[in-house]
């Protein structure tokens, strides 16, 4: 099968992770979500815990200047000269390295921007109605509907700020992706099939 890259942007509770995993299985590709944090940690010399604490948060690089010894496992290949962009660079390098090794599905983390110069790349964004997403989040988190909606708004504001800052594009805007689809209309499995069909046609598979 052709070496392909699928980048999945997603609203909170829209099923992006589940759909991403199904796409990876469908196209015999590796799936990267939080796995990227481990790769970035190895690349940088920071602990994975440090990356988890700062995942998809704009402006978190300031904390690098106050990092405590337990976060460090050595100077890493970049030495000790950290800038505000260092942590993003570590993760970007990990994404590019994974993409070079074989077919991949990346979930979020600006992978569409980071891999913009790669061939055979398809960028999709998965959305869903707020009712659909609030129901999913309330079930997964064990919270009520109102709390779920507030959580969604909080996480998405942070995610959009991060994406917009590092890409210069607008998170969730149709012009930033090849395909945008509402997973609440067809359900997760049928949405994955629709996306997979689009990818095959788009890349001539």
């Amino acid at each position: 099968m052709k070496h392909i890259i699928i980048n999945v942007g997603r609203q909170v509770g829209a099923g992006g992770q589940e759909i991403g995993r199904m796409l990876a299985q469908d196209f015999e590709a590796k799936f990267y979500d939080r796995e990227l944090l481990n790769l970035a940690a190895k690349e940088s010399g920071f602990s994975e815990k440090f990356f988890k604490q700062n995942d998809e948060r704009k402006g978190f690089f300031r904390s690098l200047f106050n990092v405590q010894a337990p976060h460090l496992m050595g100077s890493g290949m970049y030495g000790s000269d950290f800038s505000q962009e260092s942590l993003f660079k570590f993760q970007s390098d990990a994404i590019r390295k994974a993409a070079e090794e074989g077919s991949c599905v990346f979930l979020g983390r600006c992978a569409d921007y980071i891999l913009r110069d790669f061939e055979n790349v398809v960028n999709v964004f998965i959305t869903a109605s707020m009712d659909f997403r609030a129901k999913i989040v309330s079930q997964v988190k064990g919270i009520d509907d109102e709390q779920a909606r507030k959580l969604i708004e909080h996480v998405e504001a942070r995610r959009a700020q991060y994406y917009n800052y590092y890409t210069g594009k607008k998170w969730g805007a149709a012009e930033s992706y090849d395909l945008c689809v509402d997973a609440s209309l067809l359900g997760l499995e049928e949405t994955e099939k629709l996306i997979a069909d689009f990818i095959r046609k788009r890349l001539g598979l």
Side-chain angles (χ1 to χ4, degrees), residues 56-204:
E56 291 189 299
R57 288 176 171 83
K58 171 191 167 292
F60 60 73
F61 301 102
R62 297 186 191 90
S63 62
L64 283 170
F65 296 102
N66 298 310
V67 67
Q68 300 299 312
H71 289 309
L72 294 169
M73 301 186 299
S75 61
M77 64 181 291
Y78 294 92
S80 58
D81 184 20
F82 293 112
S83 71
Q84 285 197 330
E85 307 305 317
S86 293
L87 206 54
F88 182 74
K89 178 174 173 54
F90 297 144
Q91 186 164 274
S92 298
D93 287 348
I95 289 171
R96 280 189 287 266
K97 185 175 181 180
E100 288 169 354
E101 292 176 352
S103 295
C104 299
V105 176
F106 293 102
L107 190 68
R109 297 173 182 84
C110 302
D112 59 316
Y113 174 76
I114 294 164
L115 302 175
R116 62 193 181 280
D117 295 325
F118 277 60
E119 295 182 352
N120 300 320
V121 174
V122 178
N123 302 315
V124 302
F125 189 84
I126 300 170
T127 183
S129 68
M130 176 56 86
D131 288 344
F132 179 92
R133 294 185 289 132
K135 182 178 179 180
I136 295 295
V137 171
S138 63
Q139 289 174 347
V140 171
K141 297 292 185 180
I143 56 180
D144 63 30
D145 184 79
E146 183 178 356
Q147 291 174 314
R149 291 171 187 264
K150 288 181 179 179
L151 178 62
I152 288 170
E153 291 174 358
H154 172 73
V155 175
E156 289 190 347
R158 187 187 74 198
R159 190 175 287 172
Q161 188 180 40
Y162 176 89
Y163 181 88
N164 296 349
Y165 179 79
Y166 287 108
T167 69
K169 300 192 294 181
K170 186 175 180 181
W171 181 80
E175 60 267 25
S176 296
Y177 309 92
D178 299 312
L179 175 70
C180 298
V181 59
D182 185 336
S184 62
L185 298 177
L186 298 177
L188 302 190
E189 290 188 4
E190 290 301 316
T191 297
E192 189 276 336
K193 291 178 183 178
L194 184 152
I195 295 171
D197 186 51
F198 172 83
I199 292 170
R200 291 187 182 98
K201 290 178 179 178
R202 173 78 171 77
L203 299 181

Side-chain angles (χ1 to χ4, degrees), residues 22-87:
M22 286 189 280
L23 286 169
Q25 184 175 12
D26 208 349
F27 289 95
E28 299 178 6
K30 290 186 177 180
F31 177 76
Y32 291 98
D33 179 11
R34 286 190 174 274
E35 294 86 352
L36 288 169
L37 305 184
N38 183 45
L39 292 175
K42 290 179 180 178
E43 186 78 13
S44 67
F46 283 92
S47 71
E48 185 179 358
K49 180 180 179 181
F50 185 69
F51 279 84
K52 286 182 178 178
Q53 289 172 342
N54 299 293
D55 190 21
E56 291 189 299
R57 288 176 171 83
K58 171 191 167 292
F60 60 73
F61 301 102
R62 297 186 191 90
S63 62
L64 283 170
F65 296 102
N66 298 310
V67 67
Q68 300 299 312
H71 289 309
L72 294 169
M73 301 186 299
S75 61
M77 64 181 291
Y78 294 92
S80 58
D81 184 20
F82 293 112
S83 71
Q84 285 197 330
E85 307 305 317
S86 293
L87 206 54

